[in-house]
Amino acid sequence: MSKTYQVAGIGNAIVDVLTRAEDSFLDNMGIEKGIMQLVERERAEVLYGAMEGRVQAPGGSVANTLAGLGNLGLRTAFVGRVKDDGLGRFYAEEMEKIGTAFVNPPKAEGELPTSRSMIFVSPDGERSMNTYLGISAELGPDDVDESVAADAEVVFLEGYLFDKDKGKNAFQKMARACRNAGGRAGIAISDPFCVERHREDFLRLIEHDLDYVIGNEAEIRALYQNDDLDADLAAVAAICPLVICTRSGHGCSIIRDGVRTDVPVEHITPVDATGAGDQFAAGFLYGLVTGADMEIAGKMGHAAAREVISHMGPRPETSLPDLFRQHGLMS
């Protein structure tokens, strides 16, 4: 009997709010150009109010991956936390529109506002991001419905939420519920600095509760604090059955049950690198869920990432199944 969801993700539910802005506006508002910085609630409200002609889209790393998986036709669900405010209702509705079940209803009064990232795009294409974490950062085990995790073939966790104990507990609850029902659980490491803050907890989760790990070179290295990537990959592979390391223009390295597969990639100059890792994960997870071999799954990840870096925005704008067929990855 097939499960309701092929992939269920848990992560930050952040509304991306974009507007175009001159450098002089950034200077006047005290916005540091070209970086992502966290802002407090009062500052967030000031910046949001100053955005003219703003465009809103549901964002967050795992949510972007689920959008890619939906594009590929998989059945998906998202476990996140939004407030019952304008942005929160927008987020929930937009996720449902792309075919992802938004399983937690927006929270009522007394909660922090819905998380948002206010992105100011300069004439030269630079993106200056000001992120208010809001209610999303409060996600905890009470937000995890074990029946949703148990009804998923694969669970995908977002490393950014690992900074708080309640986030760690939510991950563990979701991973265990999925695995106890015969599913597979894994994580996108997301941030080497988060690893450095919680290294022992990360390694414990990977060893005892996860079936796969996806990370880039910096994130994999952060797990063991040395500059020998091959040794680090072998160390992670010793405690986890499947390790995937993306290596930018050098492709990806995959170790499954001790067997290593290196998948090269053709290097291109990105228009906007936002979402490259998220869509690589979408392509790879599609391959994993559909039983592709590791080389094909890696190529699927590369193809999805290549599509998203060819345009502005973190989600695919063309049909990924058509793209995969063009590359001989799907019949």
Side-chain angles (χ1 to χ4, degrees), residues 60 62 86 110 138 178 195:
V62 162
E138 299 303 312
C178 176
V195 173

Side-chain angles (χ1 to χ4, degrees), residues 14-29:
I14 299 177
V15 179
D16 288 337
V17 188
L18 296 95
T19 189
R20 298 198 174 274
E22 299 292 332
D23 289 353
S24 57
F25 174 87
L26 301 182
D27 290 340
N28 290 338
M29 296 298 292

Side-chain angles (χ1 to χ4, degrees), residues 136-299:
S136 187
E138 299 303 312
L139 187 143
D142 290 347
D143 297 301
V144 175
D145 182 342
E146 287 179 308
S147 68
V148 171
D151 208 12
E153 293 178 27
V154 169
V155 155
F156 189 41
L157 316 174
E158 181 179 312
Y160 287 123
L161 277 171
F162 209 71
D163 256 330
K164 290 191 175 183
D165 285 343
K166 62 176 72 173
K168 296 175 190 176
N169 294 337
F171 281 3
Q172 193 172 70
K173 182 177 179 181
M174 191 151 176
R176 288 180 178 178
C178 176
R179 298 179 88 206
N180 288 341
R184 292 174 285 184
I187 194 168
I189 298 176
S190 301
D191 181 5
F193 302 110
C194 186
V195 173
E196 287 168 11
R197 291 190 291 272
H198 307 281
R199 184 173 290 105
E200 293 308 313
D201 287 341
F202 250 113
L203 289 170
R204 194 175 299 114
L205 180 78
I206 290 168
E207 181 171 5
H208 298 293
D209 293 301
L210 299 183
D211 301 288
Y212 66 92
V213 176
I214 301 176
N216 62 27
E217 291 178 87
E219 292 157 1
I220 296 293
R221 281 198 179 111
L223 288 168
Y224 292 98
Q225 293 177 282
N226 68 48
D227 289 328
D228 186 341
L229 180 64
D230 288 339
D232 291 339
L233 280 169
V236 186
I239 61 170
C240 188
L242 176 57
V243 183
I244 307 98
C245 178
T246 57
R247 305 172 61 197
S248 192
H250 299 291
C252 67
S253 298
I254 303 164
I255 303 178
R256 185 178 202 177
D257 297 328
V259 177
R260 177 165 171 165
T261 305
D262 292 306
V263 186
V265 68
E266 179 188 351
H267 183 70
I268 65 167
T269 302
V271 172
D272 176 12
T274 310
D278 302 338
Q279 295 314 319
F280 173 88
F284 182 85
L285 289 176
Y286 177 82
L288 184 67
V289 168
T290 57
D293 66 41
M294 291 297 94
E295 182 179 7
I296 295 297
K299 288 180 177 179

Side-chain angles (χ1 to χ4, degrees), residues 309-329:
I309 66 173
S310 68
H311 57 74
M312 291 288 286
R315 298 188 172 191
E317 293 183 347
T318 58
S319 164
L320 292 181
D322 286 350
L323 192 66
F324 285 8
R325 280 188 281 268
Q326 288 170 22
H327 285 81
L329 302 174

